[in-house]
Amino acid sequence: MSMDNFEKKFYLVREDVLPEAMKKTIDAKEMLERGKAESIWDAAQKVDLSRSAFYKYRDTVFPFSAIQKERLVSLFFHIEDRSGTLSKLLSTVARFGCNVLTIHQTIPLQGRANVTLSLNTSEMEFEIEMLLSELRKLEFVEKVEVLGTGA
């Protein structure tokens, strides 16, 4: 995997130039957040969007107003199961000024484990992209994804 995959850039794009599938994905996500849809399938049906398009864009498009006010971030990690990995992961997060709200780690299988962290980023002095970049540099981290954000 090339380093280009780890160094993501973010852009602010005007709504009228977004593809329709991206706009519908945002609408479906909002329906799910507000309880107006019972499932991804239900939300996708209501906005006339395929589930594959929803899954393609769900972690890549966000309303600007939501990003500005977000202070909670949930991150998903796929890590190697080695002694001290969780401690190093948490130290990196703390160094960036994040407060850990929840930690969930799966039982390691075949030397790998999944970890989900919910973070309060209100005291963070850096951009989230800088934190993600540092986390991806840790030798035991195989994958980092933003699962979601919240107010």
Side-chain angles (χ1 to χ4, degrees), residues 130-141:
M130 288 180 68
L131 171 62
L132 294 173
S133 179
E134 284 300 307
L135 291 167
R136 289 179 176 120
K137 289 178 186 175
L138 297 171
E139 73 271 1
F140 55 84
V141 173

Side-chain angles (χ1 to χ4, degrees), residues 12-111:
L12 182 61
V13 180
R14 215 176 53 231
E15 179 184 25
D16 62 321
V17 298
L18 281 177
E20 197 64 30
M22 287 183 175
K23 290 189 247 183
K24 288 180 178 183
T25 299
I26 291 170
D27 292 342
K29 286 172 53 173
E30 288 176 356
M31 291 178 91
L32 288 164
E33 286 174 20
R34 294 189 171 134
K36 302 283 185 192
E38 294 179 19
S39 65
I40 290 171
W41 181 87
D42 185 35
Q45 287 285 318
K46 287 180 178 181
V47 298
D48 191 30
L49 178 71
S50 71
R51 283 186 307 141
S52 62
F54 176 86
Y55 284 113
K56 178 179 180 179
Y57 295 122
R58 75 173 176 177
D59 296 324
T60 62
V61 295
F62 306 93
F64 181 67
S65 60
I67 292 171
Q68 278 191 312
K69 67 181 179 182
E70 305 305 337
R71 295 291 179 238
L72 303 181
V73 176
S74 294
L75 301 178
F76 171 84
F77 299 86
H78 191 69
I79 62 173
E80 293 179 28
D81 180 37
R82 291 193 251 161
S83 181
T85 56
L86 187 57
S87 175
K88 290 176 187 172
L89 191 68
L90 294 174
S91 293
T92 302
V93 167
R95 200 171 70 244
F96 274 77
C98 297
N99 183 29
V100 177
L101 302 174
T102 65
I103 302 170
H104 176 77
Q105 180 175 342
T106 61
I107 295 173
L109 296 173
Q110 300 178 347

Side-chain angles (χ1 to χ4, degrees), residues 1 3 5 7 9 18 28 30 35-36 106 125 130 142:
M1 192 176 302
M3 285 302 292
N5 290 335
E7 300 299 325
K9 291 184 180 181
L18 281 177
E30 288 176 356
K36 302 283 185 192
T106 61
E125 297 178 11
M130 288 180 68
E142 296 180 358

